[in-house]
Amino acid sequence: MRPADALDRIVYLLDRVLAEGQKVRAFARARDVVEATGDDEIARLHAAGKLTDLAGIGPTTARVIAEALDGDVPSYLAQLEGETVIDPGEGADLRAALRGDCHTHSTWSDGGAPIEKMARTAIALGHEYMVLTDHSPRLTVAHGLNEQRLRLQLEEVRRLNGELAPFRILTGIEVDILEDGALDQTEEMLAQLDVVVASVHSKLRMERREMTRRMVTAVASPHVDILGHCTGRKLVGRGRPPSTFDAEIVFAACAQFDTALEINCRPERQDPPDELLTLALDWDLRFAVDTDAHAPGQMEWQAYGCDKAARHGVDPDRIVNTMAADDLVAWAAGHA
Ligand SMILES: [Zn+2]
Ligand SMILES: [Zn+2]
C-alpha cells in the first residue's frame, strides 16, 4: 500500500465518523506532504528512521507511513475500517434505490475535496450522479461563488463530465435564502442550473412570522427545487436550536409548488426533526435524501437519512433522488 493512499483512506474514514477537524487536517496534511515528497524519498527517510524530520509528519502519521512501506495494512487504518462502518439500520433497501446525491460541496466553496474526488467517491458508492451544490456569494465564510466563479465551475463540470461518463455531475447550487426570501444568485444563473437547493444560513433566530414569509417566498420561487436543512438546528458542540416558523404554511407551499423537502443526513443536523418529517408526510411532499457532504467520507451518510425515511414510512417514489438523472433534471426544469 502506498503511504499516501493509506493516509488518504484514513482521512476518508475519519470524515465518515465526523472526527474532529484538527485530527482530519493533520492526516490530510501528512498525505499532502507525502505526495509532495515522492515515494522514493519517503522510502529513503523511512530506512534512515527520519520520517518525522518532515514538517507535518508526527509520530502517529510516521507509524502509518512506516507500516504501509513495510507491506502491512497500517494498524490505525485497520482499526478505523472496522470502527467507522455505518449501520444502514432500516434504510438498506432505500439506500440501494437511491441513484445520486443532490447536496454536495467541493473546495470551490467550503468543502474539503476537489469536485473530481467527490465525484469519484460517488461513483465508488454506486451513484449514477451527484448534484454539485456549492454555496452562494453572500456566504463569505464558506467562500460562496459569485456569478463569475459559478460560470467557471460550470466549465469545469463540463470538462469533468467528459472524463467521468456515464457518471454525471449535475450542476447546482446551495443558494442562500436572504432575509426577504430572495435568492442569493442571479436569475440567469439559477435558470441554467440543473438542480437548486435553497437554504437559510443567516438570521436563523428571525421572528416566526418573518421566517415563515421568508421560507415560503423561497419555496415559491420557480428556481428552487429542494428546501435544504429547513430548521437549521445543530445537535453537536454548542448546538443550535431549530428556527421557528409555521411548518404547516411552509409545507403547504412545498406541496403547492412541488418543492422537495430535504432530509439532511448530516449527523449533527438530522434535519427535519422527527415531528416535522411526520407533518411533511401529511402534506405528501417530495423529499431528497441528501448528505450535504463537505468531504468524500461524508457521502456515506445517506445511510442515516435512509434509515430515518424508512422508519417514517416515506415512499421511495416520493424521494427525488431515486429518479434517474434525466428524470430528476426534467422534474427540476418543470419548476422554472
Ligand atoms: Zn447549508
Ligand atoms: Zn450544504
Side-chain angles (χ1 to χ4, degrees), residues 137-170:
R138 299 266 187 114
L139 207 60
T140 49
V141 289
H143 309 291
L145 279 62
N146 59 20
E147 184 172 351
Q148 194 180 7
R149 286 184 66 223
L150 183 54
R151 281 183 201 284
L152 290 173
Q153 185 180 67
L154 297 186
E155 280 173 33
E156 169 79 354
V157 168
R158 207 169 301 129
R159 185 186 69 74
L160 284 169
N161 275 332
E163 287 176 18
L164 299 172
F167 181 83
R168 283 169 70 183
I169 303 166
L170 301 180

Side-chain angles (χ1 to χ4, degrees), residues 103 105 135 174 292 294:
H103 188 164
H105 295 273
H135 289 287
E174 181 179 15
D292 196 357
H294 285 68

Side-chain angles (χ1 to χ4, degrees), residues 286-306:
R286 288 189 199 264
F287 297 95
V289 179
D290 292 338
T291 60
D292 196 357
H294 285 68
Q298 299 179 356
M299 295 187 89
E300 291 198 32
W301 289 346
Q302 262 184 338
Y304 296 131
C306 287

Side-chain angles (χ1 to χ4, degrees), residues 103 105 110 133 135 139 174-176 197-201 228-229 240 262 264 266 269 292 294:
H103 188 164
H105 295 273
D110 59 348
T133 54
H135 289 287
L139 207 60
E174 181 179 15
V175 68
D176 256 51
V197 177
S199 310
V200 171
H201 291 112
H229 50 69
R240 188 163 63 206
E262 178 179 80
N264 189 294
R266 294 190 67 85
R269 285 193 184 272
D292 196 357
H294 285 68

Side-chain angles (χ1 to χ4, degrees), residues 208-228:
R208 179 181 165 97
R209 274 169 57 98
E210 290 307 305
M211 184 59 99
T212 303
R213 193 194 314 270
R214 178 184 185 182
M215 292 172 77
V216 166
T217 302
V219 162
S221 162
H223 297 304
V224 173
D225 305 307
I226 298 169
L227 176 63

Side-chain angles (χ1 to χ4, degrees), residues 222-239:
H223 297 304
V224 173
D225 305 307
I226 298 169
L227 176 63
H229 50 69
C230 65
T231 77
R233 72 171 180 174
K234 291 262 182 82
L235 299 167
V236 301
R238 279 176 302 159

